[in-house]
Amino acid sequence: YNIFYFFSTETKQIWSDRETASDFLANYLPKDISGLMDLKTLEICKDSFVDKHLKEYFSDLLYKVSFGAQSGYVYMLFEHKSYPQKITALQLLSYIVASGIFISASRGCHCR
């Protein structure tokens, strides 16, 4: 049994629920950010940006949401970590840059 596969599939299933994602964003993002979002417009995009070689260890979701008169994106990357690391923020940045998410988001993703 592969625990990483379980983590990835269960995580993706939980966070693919629009209400769960909306509640999380409303309660855990800083209020000055979540207050700019109209979470009633939250859409879950079907695209995944994790490299095929890393899918065993990571799961990701992209959400489209209205920020006033404009649309924007919220990207969530899930990684199982067994212990805290000082370079986690740098790792996340490298995953996001390597994934090409900014290029894909600017072209418009397929959301549901």
Side-chain angles (χ1 to χ4, degrees):
Y1 185 74
N2 187 334
I3 190 68
F4 294 112
Y5 176 77
F6 174 80
F7 170 78
S8 178
T9 56
E10 291 300 310
T11 299
K12 195 127 185 172
Q13 182 177 355
I14 290 166
W15 293 103
S16 291
D17 179 72
R18 190 186 155 298
E19 187 175 335
T20 299
S22 181
D23 286 347
F24 178 83
L25 295 172
N27 290 296
Y28 290 97
L29 284 179
K31 295 297 179 201
D32 55 336
I33 295 174
S34 65
L36 298 173
M37 296 182 204
D38 179 1
L39 292 172
K40 293 179 288 208
T41 66
L42 188 73
E43 298 177 65
I44 300 167
C45 299
K46 70 174 186 173
D47 299 333
S48 176
F49 300 94
V50 174
D51 181 88
K52 65 182 177 183
H53 299 102
L54 299 175
K55 282 197 179 290
E56 185 175 336
Y57 305 102
F58 303 96
S59 185
D60 68 335
L61 282 166
L62 180 68
Y63 304 95
K64 183 177 180 180
V65 65
S66 293
F67 290 87
Q70 298 183 349
S71 292
Y73 295 91
V74 176
Y75 182 63
M76 294 179 73
L77 177 69
F78 305 95
E79 176 186 6
H80 171 74
K81 290 219 177 261
S82 56
Y83 58 92
Q85 294 179 306
K86 292 183 180 189
I87 62 168
T88 299
L90 186 58
Q91 287 176 323
L92 291 173
L93 177 61
S94 70
Y95 303 149
I96 292 169
V97 170
S99 70
I101 186 173
F102 297 112
I103 295 167
S104 298
S106 68
R107 292 182 182 152
C109 298
H110 304 286
C111 301
R112 51 181 161 94

